[in-house]
Amino acid sequence: MSRSAADRQTRLTVLVALAANLVIAAAKTVGGLISGSPALLSEAAHSVADSLNEIFLLAALRRSRLPADARHPFGYGKERYFWALLAAVGIFVMGGCFSFYQGLHALRRDDESPTGYTAGLIVLGVALVAESTSLARALHQARGKTGAAIDPALRTVIAEDSTAVLGVSLAIAGMSLHLATGSVVWEAGASLGIGLLLVYVAFRLGRNARDQLIGESVDPELHRELVGFLMRQSEIDNVAELLTMRLGMHSVLVAARIDLAPGIDSERVEEVSMRIRQAMCERWPQADQVFLDITNAPPRIGL
């Protein structure tokens, strides 16, 4: 699939998730204010956070396509990771912290008889269907992809929708048990559970975005393939070091220290380097930044 086609699919997936979350957030907020349910209000905050995060992801998709310029010679591919990090912070602050507040506040208040919970449960039932539909689409797009091959925007949508399905299920269980037993402890526990879930997801997403922003290498299999390719070139006697870094979803920096075979005329060095770089780019289109350092190399690195 081409880069533009993949971006269009991801953009559509994010838009579907945004539309679902906006409608769900409004319904949960109204239902939560009417019923006073802490679990429903926690889920409302969760949906608001998800909606804001989808706007972040749309910005990431647009800005990551900007061409390289003098100030950013390697392009704007890492914009996706930056906005994914902001989305993780949004999940933690707006979703997780508010859910903890609702759970603790519910434990301190008098045990009141729940009212308006029927409408709240209906809202959550509709939300469960909508979130499950959005999750199914995101999982379908991610099918067959693993690790860094999954767009960070798509990964965030999957995490948000998976968390939303679990969170709505917890809220339904908490509200139902509150209705059945008359004890608000069940619903407070559901709110705290939703908070813990959101904090965990925010931590995982933030850690992944941090690794990509710092600079993450390609997977070991691709690294071995690159080394093997260089070693098969007749002009190369040794590969001393190969460094890689992902610059974005479709861009990889490759820097290799190589020792040329004896007898190569100095006038041919530039020609050999250009041929090898072009061959690497043709075989691995994502390796669009290739740098070869001609040096007297120590013993060969292992494949």
Side-chain angles (χ1 to χ4, degrees):
M1 182 184 297
S2 68
R3 175 180 177 180
S4 58
D7 283 353
R8 283 196 299 271
Q9 280 201 7
T10 302
R11 180 181 176 82
L12 181 57
T13 298
V14 174
L15 286 172
V16 169
L18 175 60
N21 278 318
L22 286 173
V23 174
I24 293 168
K28 287 178 180 177
T29 301
V30 173
L33 292 174
I34 292 175
S35 64
S37 165
L40 190 50
L41 288 172
S42 295
E43 272 302 296
H46 181 185
S47 294
V48 170
D50 285 352
S51 299
L52 182 60
N53 292 339
E54 258 93 58
I55 294 174
F56 286 163
L57 298 180
L58 289 174
L61 291 172
R62 180 180 61 83
R63 288 194 54 81
S64 65
R65 293 195 297 268
L66 294 175
D69 53 34
R71 188 172 183 181
H72 298 89
F74 293 113
Y76 291 79
K78 288 195 176 186
E79 284 271 4
R80 298 200 184 201
Y81 310 127
F82 169 73
W83 291 99
L85 179 61
L86 288 187
V89 173
I91 292 173
F92 175 81
V93 175
M94 298 183 64
C97 293
F98 186 79
S99 296
F100 281 130
Y101 166 78
Q102 284 296 323
L104 295 174
H105 178 70
L107 289 175
R108 291 197 302 267
R109 75 183 188 186
D110 293 332
D111 201 355
E112 303 170 352
S113 299
T115 58
Y117 272 34
T118 301
L121 288 171
I122 292 174
V123 168
L124 288 176
V126 174
L128 184 61
V129 173
E131 297 286 9
S132 299
T133 302
S134 178
L135 175 61
R137 174 179 173 80
L139 289 174
H140 176 74
Q141 184 180 342
R143 186 176 56 184
K145 301 178 182 177
T146 57
I150 302 179
D151 191 314
L154 180 60
R155 183 186 290 111
T156 302
V157 171
I158 292 174
E160 287 178 351
D161 288 345
S162 300
T163 307
V165 170
L166 291 174
V168 169
S169 300
L170 282 173
I172 291 174
M175 291 178 68
S176 299
L177 288 170
H178 187 183
L179 275 173
T181 65
S183 174
V184 76
V185 172
W186 294 104
E187 201 169 350
S191 293
L192 294 174
I194 292 170
L196 287 173
L197 184 63
L198 292 174
V199 168
Y200 172 74
V201 169
F203 170 75
R204 291 292 301 271
L205 288 173
R207 184 176 65 177
N208 184 268
R210 178 207 62 186
D211 291 342
Q212 297 287 0
L213 285 171
I214 292 173
E216 191 172 55
S217 64
V218 300
D219 60 83
E221 181 179 355
L222 178 55
H223 186 276
R224 288 192 294 269
E225 290 178 2
L226 291 168
V227 173
F229 172 83
L230 291 172
M231 290 300 302
R232 287 192 298 272
Q233 306 306 305
S234 59
E235 300 90 347
I236 295 179
D237 185 56
N238 184 22
V239 178
E241 187 175 28
L242 180 72
L243 302 175
T244 62
M245 183 171 65
R246 294 190 178 277
L247 301 176
M249 279 299 301
H250 310 283
S251 179
V252 172
L253 182 148
V254 179
R257 293 178 59 236
I258 61 176
D259 186 15
L260 295 181
I264 294 181
D265 193 294
S266 60
E267 296 181 356
R268 289 191 56 214
V269 171
E270 184 177 353
E271 175 188 341
V272 169
S273 297
M274 183 174 296
R275 183 190 65 77
I276 293 175
R277 284 198 297 267
Q278 289 178 345
M280 291 185 73
C281 291
E282 288 175 2
R283 182 164 180 178
W284 296 282
Q286 69 270 36
D288 55 351
Q289 302 289 341
V290 179
F291 300 89
L292 301 179
D293 179 21
I294 312 299
T295 183
N296 290 325
R300 299 177 179 178
I301 65 175
L303 298 183

